[in-house]
Amino acid sequence: RNHPFTLVTVSMDDFISDPAKFTTTYLHFLLGNNTQMICPRKNCTRKIKSIAKEFEQKYQKINDKGTAHVTTGRHSNKEKLMDVLKSDSLFGPILDRIEGLVNEALVN
């Protein structure tokens, strides 16, 4: 509890408009200087682009089906989604902390 952490945020609009770019950004954030985890002894640029492209294609299949998955922007019950996430043992505390930081920033 109260350990420092780094958070990357992305708008849902940015994610929806370019899932490959989001995935590339996320992988760079996630891996940092530890790219050898996914491509030992190599430059990871091509591997990361390949992973991002594969993700984009899978996401496009989900989107093409017309599903109401939250990342499609067509989820009809956002309040229910937030309730589920806030009650989750992993995401709940993180969302509470983010909400607190946002409220602090708005006050200042």
Side-chain angles (χ1 to χ4, degrees), residues 14-78:
D14 289 345
F15 171 80
I16 290 169
S17 68
D18 196 343
K21 183 177 179 184
F22 162 79
T23 304
T24 301
T25 301
Y26 178 73
L27 287 172
H28 282 291
F29 169 78
L30 184 65
L31 296 170
N33 294 326
N34 299 307
T35 55
Q36 72 276 6
M37 293 172 65
I38 63 169
C39 46
R41 301 179 304 276
K42 295 181 186 174
N43 179 328
C44 278
T45 302
R46 288 173 61 200
K47 179 72 172 179
I48 288 173
K49 284 183 179 181
S50 172
I51 291 168
K53 188 68 175 168
E54 182 179 341
F55 175 80
E56 181 179 46
Q57 290 168 345
K58 288 180 180 181
Y59 174 73
Q60 191 60 47
K61 285 181 184 178
I62 290 171
N63 206 15
D64 289 346
K65 288 181 183 177
T67 182
H69 188 269
V70 64
T71 58
T72 64
R74 293 190 297 261
H75 194 279
S76 62
N77 194 343
K78 292 181 178 136

